Amino acid sequence: MRIDLHCHSTASDGTDTPAELVRNAAAAGLDVVALTDHDTTRGHAEAIAALPSGLTLVTGAELSCRIGGVGMHMLAYLFDPEEPALLAERELVRDDRVPRARAMVAKLNELGVPVAWEQVARIAGEGSVGRPHVAAALVELGVVPTVGDAFTQDWLADGGRAYAEKHETDPFEAIRLVKGAGGVTVFAHPAADKRGRTVPESVIAELSAAGLDGIEVDHMDHDADTRGRLRGLAKDLGLLVTGSSDYHGSRKTCELGEYTTDPEVYAEITRRATGAFPVPGTGGA
Ligand SMILES: [Zn+2]
Ligand SMILES: [Zn+2]
């Protein structure tokens, strides 16, 4: 039984549509695949409709979290997608772009820069508004000569005077919300240091005490030593160990099923979940 519990589709930053993803998962010989797009469940319906017989879909999401200034990802499985508190949090993370840009405009106004929200919105046009559009407004106003000059501590660089953080969920809150929606949590690629700073083991222990179910150990961003260390940590803390491809279609090199999860661990995840059930394929559309 081959089980891959971490895959992305075009519902977030993957390149396969949800329907293509499940067809490709079946073609790759998988028995179980999880669809875990960033902060959204919007690909689930299409994946279920296209699900080939012989393949089971685990519904999920990968939640953007932050603790102590360190970004981290939390996989959430088999939660009730309609549960209001978790749904509101996903929307807050996803829809944070406009409030964040507005917060930067407000900070600039406090600093005496007469930038207007309408100006930033006009520059962004059809695109989703972000920090570069605020920077372009500063150039228009003659505050800085170039967009690059706006990305300093004086203005919009991380931690700068007019910088506003993205909303990301506290992982303890994520665990609480996912459990409240009947789901199971697995800390994604916890030691992927290529992506930046990682969460210390002491915090993983605290998350475990707060109800974290597992950690993703077998992942392309972990070398053999790291996997060994994480396996030991999971054993000490009584955490489940998963493995998965973190497939993004052609955007990353990892193939579907390149890393997999032990069937006993999968059975335990489904046993703990009460918010949703794995969906067996019926042939697909
Ligand atoms: Zn991730
Ligand atoms: Zn991912």
Side-chain angles (χ1 to χ4, degrees), residues 6 8 38 62 246 248:
H6 182 170
H8 296 268
H38 295 286
E62 185 174 21
D246 202 353
H248 279 74

